[in-house]
């Protein structure tokens, strides 16, 4: 069963994705493996990993400016809908809590993560699930460790 209003959520999510290039994980983010590895893999965090992945894509793509010196026209990466059958996501949260509540909570969590307060994924997890997040073996995620190592390597090569 699909709760009332879920089709409106799908439509507005697709509009947000097309207008602002802001897809989230439930819209299935598909990347070439070399891009995924360039980004350092999936962010190791308990919530908002899809939001962070899209943010990484945006920040890292800004490093590559198209070169027009050789007369070749520049192209830019675009967000595209892949043809074929749609990806299916479970509607269980929407069914259990209702469209208005889930939409409100999703918007609230994004604003708390990326807005003025900037809560950590662990704090958001506590707020959302009313329990502590899963325990990780390190404070930094694997991609943060690799990125820090890369930055140190680059800094040592510059000096």
């Amino acid at each position: 069963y699909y709760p009332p209003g879920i089709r409106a959520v799908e439509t507005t999510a697709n509009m947000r994705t097309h207008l602002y290039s802001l897809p989230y994980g439930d819209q299935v983010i598909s990347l070439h493996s070399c891009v995924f590895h360039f980004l350092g893999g999936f962010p190791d965090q308990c919530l908002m990993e899809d939001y962070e992945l899209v943010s990484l894509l945006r920040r890292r793509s800004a490093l590559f400016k198209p070169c027009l010196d050789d007369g070749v026209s520049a192209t830019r990466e675009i967000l595209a809908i892949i043809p074929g059958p749609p990806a299916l996501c479970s509607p269980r949260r929407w069914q259990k809590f209702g469209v208005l509540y889930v939409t409100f909570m999703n918007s609230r969590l994004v604003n708390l993560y990326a807005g003025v307060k900037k809560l950590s994924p662990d704090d958001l997890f506590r707020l959302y699930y009313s329990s502590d997040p899963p325990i990780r073996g390190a404070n930094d995620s694997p991609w943060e460790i690799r990125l820090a190592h890369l930055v140190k390597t680059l800094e040592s090569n510059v000096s």
Side-chain angles (χ1 to χ4, degrees):
Y1 125 87
Y2 292 100
I6 196 69
R7 298 289 182 223
V9 170
E10 289 175 3
T11 301
T12 55
N14 286 335
M15 287 172 38
R16 181 197 66 234
T17 300
H18 282 289
L19 293 173
Y20 303 109
S21 297
L22 285 173
Y24 296 134
D26 59 352
Q27 293 173 285
V28 184
I29 301 169
S30 179
L31 304 172
H32 192 281
S33 63
C34 66
V35 173
F36 184 72
H37 291 295
F38 172 73
L39 293 173
F42 227 174
D44 180 26
Q45 49 191 75
C46 54
L47 279 180
M48 301 306 233
E49 67 283 356
D50 51 349
Y51 187 93
E52 193 62 30
L53 182 67
V54 171
S55 177
L56 283 168
L57 278 167
R58 288 177 166 208
R59 289 187 306 227
R60 303 264 171 102
S61 68
L63 297 173
F64 298 101
K65 300 293 181 200
C67 179
L68 300 175
D69 294 340
D70 60 359
V72 177
S73 64
T75 59
R76 68 178 187 89
E77 297 283 337
I78 60 168
L79 187 70
I81 302 295
I82 299 172
L88 300 177
C89 295
S90 172
R92 68 183 174 273
R93 278 191 316 129
W94 304 92
Q95 292 167 340
K96 182 176 180 179
F97 298 110
V99 171
L100 288 176
Y101 176 79
V102 173
T103 302
F104 170 77
M105 282 303 291
N106 287 348
S107 297
R108 182 173 181 228
L109 291 174
V110 168
N111 287 328
L112 288 172
Y113 182 72
V116 176
K117 284 190 173 186
K118 298 201 185 292
L119 292 180
S120 72
D122 288 352
D123 289 336
L124 290 174
F125 189 96
R126 285 183 195 94
L127 179 68
Y128 190 70
Y129 291 106
S130 300
S131 67
D132 286 334
I135 297 172
R136 295 194 323 233
N139 287 335
D140 292 330
S141 67
W143 70 271
E144 289 169 316
I145 294 168
R146 286 193 301 273
L147 181 61
H149 176 71
L150 177 63
V151 168
K152 286 180 185 176
T153 303
L154 291 172
E155 287 173 346
S156 66
N157 289 341
V158 172
S159 52

